């Protein structure tokens, strides 16, 4: 859209308004945090402050990439996938003898995003689930170490599926034909998915804090309650319906279904990384984001919501 | 030292070391505030990789880098003319030849001199890089060194992950996150055994906090 700036922003008016709304929400969060400073313990306040400051930085980075345009956004999501993949390889018990294969898998990240940049949907959708699925065990055969072979094949495949294949679906939203979504454009779709996914996490947390009593999955995540789960999903579903006609080609009713899908899938994604952390006996997957932990702690829900939302949208609207 | 003399070191860290360490590798840093800003001080870290030295130095801001003096293996850091020049003049290492006794005395003198200049010495008390990221027996030299200059503190630092990113004998760097866990500074007292025990206990506790170190425990 042309705002009279010396450059063109690759955004529709609705997408720009959506970004401004997110920034306004952050302003409210920062003011609330500042006003709570005397009522919270110094540690709790520091953590809240770090969390919100990190949100500012994350939002600034994502919005900047989205505003610059498609190529910048694809590079951004490729870097995000790389950091997430590196994080998962860093916490998994990777065999030293597999270093060559690990390096080769890092090099597959730009390739996956190259298929997206070329708008080569067929390759994008089979490259990791089919070709790498067959090539990873083949690579391990060449390296020749059979002790721990099965575990290595399984964990490397899972790592690249979640952090690269799943996350790259967010980027592919930018390639969907723009004329079918005049109101939101590609950026509108990304904002809809990412905002609802992250909002769902926060909504589940707040509902759980306010009304949560009965635990839903005590063995995996003792903080999750039925009230948080149901309250969060209800809120996300409703918001999904309300935002859909404004940012996506979906109707209100389709948006409700997309919101429900995002709410449930986000919950499962969150739990999955929780289970991984429990298995490895760690609290955070890295220290990259102050107040949040690692990248995986932040995009765990997105790993599940992105492919499911993408295919729901693709089936219903394109 | 003048600004001009410090410039190559700053540029080397700004343009090469910091980007590699923070962007390609990624660090999980715990308790950065415990890192001593001024000497005389000793950083005592476990040793997994030749990258250890550069990673620990990269924790310091460019303006403080000139105070940090790593003691590093001569056979690696002085292996050819280019790396020698880089190690001695840009990184500023104190080269340690692990085979020769005469050399050890010379290194000890250089270390004492560095402490006398209020510099921060970077030592690996295990003596050699261990196998498969296991803590090796600690050597007592660090205690005697710290005692030569009153007020010298020893800050234990545990690192994990670099042994996967660049193991011994490998030249291919593979990105992995690395933990750097900084402990409380220790002040060596009268008894060397007590101090060595404290250092050992501290390093073991710090190693246990590493999040990339789960290989053994995953089995049970």
């Amino acid at each position: 859209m042309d705002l009279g700036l010396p450059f063109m922003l690759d955004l529709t008016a609705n997408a720009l308004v959506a970004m401004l709304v997110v920034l306004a929400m952050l302003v409210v969060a920062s003011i609330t945090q500042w006003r709570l400073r005397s009522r919270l313990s110094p540690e709790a306040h520091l953590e809240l402050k770090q969390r919100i400051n990190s949100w500012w930085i994350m939002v600034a980075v994502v919005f900047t990439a989205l505003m610059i345009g498609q190529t910048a956004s694809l590079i951004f999501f490729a870097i995000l996938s790389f950091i997430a993949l590196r994080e998962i390889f860093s916490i998994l018990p990777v065999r030293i003898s597999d270093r060559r294969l690990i390096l080769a898998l890092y090099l597959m990240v730009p390739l996956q995003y190259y298929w997206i940049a070329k708008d080569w949907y067929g390759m994008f959708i089979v490259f990791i689930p089919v070709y790498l699925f067959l090539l990873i065990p083949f690579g391990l055969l060449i390296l020749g170490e059979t002790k721990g072979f099965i575990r290595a094949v399984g964990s490397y495949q899972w790592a690249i599926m979640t952090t690269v294949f799943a996350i790259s679906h967010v980027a592919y939203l930018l390639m969907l034909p723009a004329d079918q979504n005049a109101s939101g454009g590609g950026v509108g779709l990304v904002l809809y998915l990412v905002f609802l996914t992250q909002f769902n996490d926060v909504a589940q947390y707040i509902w759980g804090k306010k009304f949560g009593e009965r635990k839903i999955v005590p063995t995996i995540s003792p903080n999750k309650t039925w009230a948080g789960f149901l309250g969060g999903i209800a809120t996300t579903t409703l918001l999904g319906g309300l935002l859909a006609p404004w940012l996506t080609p979906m109707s209100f009713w389709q948006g409700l279904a997309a919101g429900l899908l995002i709410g449930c899938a986000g919950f499962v994604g969150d739990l999955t990384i929780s289970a991984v952390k429990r298995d490895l006996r760690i609290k955070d997957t890295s220290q990259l984001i102050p107040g949040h932990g690692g990248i995986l702690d932040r995009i765990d829900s997105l790993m599940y919501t992105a492919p499911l939302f993408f295919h729901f949208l693709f089936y219903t609207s394109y | 030292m003048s600004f001009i003399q410090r410039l190559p070191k700053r540029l080397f860290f700004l343009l090469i070391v910091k980007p590699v360490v923070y962007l390609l590798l990624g660090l999980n840093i715990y308790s950065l505030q415990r890192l001593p800003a001024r000497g005389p001080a000793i950083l005592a870290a476990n040793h997994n990789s030749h990258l250890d030295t550069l990673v620990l130095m990269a924790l310091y801001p460019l303006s403080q880098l000139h105070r940090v003096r790593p003691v590093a293996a001569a056979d690696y850091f002085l292996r050819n003319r280019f790396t020698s020049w880089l190690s001695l003049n840009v990184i500023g290492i104190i080269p340690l030849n692990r085979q020769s006794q005469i050399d050890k005395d010379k290194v000890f003198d250089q270390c004492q001199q560095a402490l006398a200049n209020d510099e921060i010495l970077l030592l690996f008390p295990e003596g050699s890089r261990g196998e498969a990221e296991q803590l090796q027996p600690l050597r007592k030299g660090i205690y005697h060194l710290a005692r030569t200059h009153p007020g010298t503190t020893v800050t234990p630092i545990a690192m994990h992950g670099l042994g996967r990113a660049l193991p011994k004998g490998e030249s291919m760097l593979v990105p992995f996150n690395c933990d750097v866990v900084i402990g409380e500074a220790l002040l060596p007292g009268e008894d060397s055994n007590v101090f060595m025990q404290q250092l050992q206990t501290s390093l073991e506790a710090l190693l246990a906090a590493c999040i990339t170190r789960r290989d053994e425990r995953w089995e049970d």
Side-chain angles (χ1 to χ4, degrees):
Chain A
M1 93 188 261
D2 193 355
L3 291 171
L5 296 167
F7 50 87
M8 291 282 280
L9 290 179
D10 198 5
L11 294 175
T12 67
N14 286 0
L16 188 67
V17 172
M19 286 183 175
L20 292 174
V21 170
V22 171
L23 293 179
M25 290 171 77
L26 282 180
V27 170
V28 172
S30 282
I31 293 172
T32 315
Q33 169 265 119
W34 189 73
R35 291 181 62 179
L36 281 173
R37 75 195 181 288
S38 55
R39 266 191 278 163
L40 293 170
S41 70
E43 300 83 49
H45 179 248
L46 180 72
E47 209 207 308
L48 185 67
K49 195 174 150 186
Q50 278 184 335
R51 262 185 103 85
I52 293 170
N53 288 350
S54 295
W55 271 120
W56 273 105
I57 294 170
M58 289 187 282
V59 165
V61 173
V62 176
F63 283 10
T64 307
L66 288 175
M67 281 207 257
I68 297 174
Q70 214 167 53
T71 311
S73 305
L74 290 187
I75 293 172
F76 165 75
F77 284 111
I79 293 173
L80 184 71
S81 281
F82 166 70
I83 298 175
L85 186 63
R86 185 182 67 194
E87 201 165 280
I88 210 163
F89 282 146
S90 302
I91 55 172
L92 282 178
V94 168
R95 304 178 301 176
I96 286 282
S97 54
D98 297 343
R99 289 172 76 251
R100 270 164 208 282
L101 183 85
I102 301 287
L103 187 65
L105 291 179
Y106 285 130
L107 298 177
M108 298 304 124
V109 177
L111 211 50
Q112 171 73 359
Y113 283 88
Y114 174 75
W115 312 138
I116 301 176
K118 290 263 126 189
D119 202 4
W120 188 357
Y121 180 79
M123 190 50 121
F124 155 78
I125 211 73
V126 298
F127 178 59
I128 292 173
V130 178
Y131 294 119
L132 289 189
F133 172 75
L134 300 172
L135 280 172
I136 287 173
F138 179 63
L140 290 171
L141 288 181
I142 295 175
L143 293 172
E145 176 63 82
T146 50
K147 187 172 180 293
F149 182 83
I150 300 169
R151 195 170 79 181
V153 170
S155 58
Y156 302 163
Q157 179 67 26
W158 189 73
I160 199 156
M161 279 296 285
T162 48
T163 59
V164 186
F165 182 68
I167 295 300
S168 68
H169 282 77
V170 187
Y172 212 98
L173 290 173
L174 294 166
M175 303 302 296
L176 295 178
D179 50 348
Q180 292 190 41
N181 184 21
S183 55
V187 175
L189 298 175
V190 172
L191 289 174
Y192 180 86
L193 167 66
V194 175
F195 175 75
L196 281 185
T197 304
Q198 304 298 345
F199 177 84
N200 182 57
D201 284 1
V202 178
Q204 293 201 357
Y205 174 79
I206 292 173
W207 279 94
K209 268 265 179 223
K210 286 264 181 230
F211 307 102
E213 274 171 26
R214 260 185 65 204
K215 296 192 190 323
I216 180 164
V217 275
T219 56
I220 301 168
S221 186
N223 299 325
K224 299 233 178 325
T225 58
W226 276 102
F229 173 64
L230 295 173
I233 283 180
T235 317
T236 308
T237 304
L238 185 65
L239 203 59
L242 293 174
L243 291 177
W246 193 55
L247 286 173
T248 77
M250 297 183 293
S251 66
F252 171 77
W253 297 103
Q254 287 172 325
L256 281 185
L260 181 66
L261 188 67
I262 289 173
C264 295
F267 179 77
V268 177
D270 191 350
L271 277 188
T272 306
I273 291 298
S274 295
V276 169
K277 290 191 289 186
R278 285 236 147 190
D279 190 9
L280 297 168
R281 294 178 210 175
I282 52 179
K283 259 184 71 198
D284 295 321
T285 55
S286 86
Q287 295 279 307
L288 188 74
I289 315 172
H292 293 254
I295 267 283
L296 288 175
D297 294 311
R298 193 61 275 139
I299 63 166
D300 48 7
S301 338
L302 195 61
M303 296 186 320
Y304 271 66
T305 59
L308 291 172
F309 171 71
F310 178 90
H311 292 294
F312 177 81
L313 180 77
F314 203 58
Y315 185 73
T316 54
S317 311
Y318 287 90
Chain B
M1 248 205 288
S2 71
F3 176 78
I4 298 293
Q5 277 172 301
R6 284 174 193 163
L7 197 60
K9 187 175 197 171
R10 288 188 183 185
L11 286 178
F12 178 63
F13 275 83
L14 178 70
L15 300 177
I16 298 173
V17 179
K18 291 210 177 205
V20 167
V21 166
Y22 287 100
L23 302 179
L24 201 58
L25 290 176
L27 296 187
N28 300 319
I29 307 171
Y30 296 84
S31 315
L32 187 63
Q33 76 283 358
R34 289 176 178 169
L35 201 65
R38 303 189 158 271
I42 298 177
L43 309 180
N46 64 326
H47 208 7
N48 304 310
S49 161
H50 288 304
L51 280 175
D52 292 345
T53 306
L54 294 176
V55 165
L56 286 171
M57 290 181 80
L59 298 178
Y60 279 92
L62 294 176
S63 59
Q64 286 179 26
L65 263 178
H66 61 277
R67 297 206 185 93
V68 189
R69 296 296 305 279
V71 178
D75 55 69
Y76 183 80
F77 282 89
L78 305 185
R79 68 184 183 280
N80 61 44
R81 278 175 65 185
F82 174 69
T83 48
S84 287
W85 172 80
L86 195 70
S87 305
L88 294 171
N89 300 303
V90 179
I91 308 176
I93 68 160
I94 297 176
L96 170 68
N97 186 339
R98 283 170 293 188
Q99 273 77 50
S100 127
Q101 180 56 44
I102 310 158
D103 195 74
K104 269 183 193 153
D105 297 336
K106 203 177 100 196
V107 170
F108 199 83
D109 290 342
Q110 281 181 297
C111 291
Q112 269 184 300
Q113 188 55 47
L115 290 177
N117 294 341
D118 288 348
E119 291 182 328
I120 300 159
L121 267 184
L122 170 51
L123 288 183
F124 300 102
E126 286 169 291
S128 70
R129 281 172 300 141
E131 289 299 324
E133 310 211 270
Q134 298 293 314
L135 196 61
Q136 306 294 307
L138 305 180
R139 310 226 176 141
K140 270 192 184 165
I142 189 169
Y143 170 79
H144 298 295
L145 193 59
R147 292 284 289 177
T148 57
H149 201 85
T152 303
T153 55
V154 177
T155 304
I157 301 178
M159 289 191 288
H160 192 271
L162 291 169
R164 284 199 289 198
L166 189 72
K168 224 175 191 173
E170 286 274 355
S171 55
M172 184 181 70
L173 178 72
V174 179
F176 283 101
N177 287 344
C178 302
D179 293 302
V180 180
V181 193
I182 302 163
E184 299 268 13
L186 305 170
L187 194 63
E190 293 297 324
D191 192 331
S192 66
N193 291 325
V194 170
F195 173 75
M196 293 314 290
Q197 193 52 52
Q198 278 180 321
L199 186 59
Q200 174 89 27
T201 314
S202 172
L203 279 175
E204 278 166 8
L206 298 174
L207 268 176
C210 291
I211 53 179
T212 63
R213 187 172 180 265
R214 284 298 175 281
D215 308 36
E216 313 90 68
R217 283 182 237 183
W218 215 49
E219 304 285 347
D220 55 62

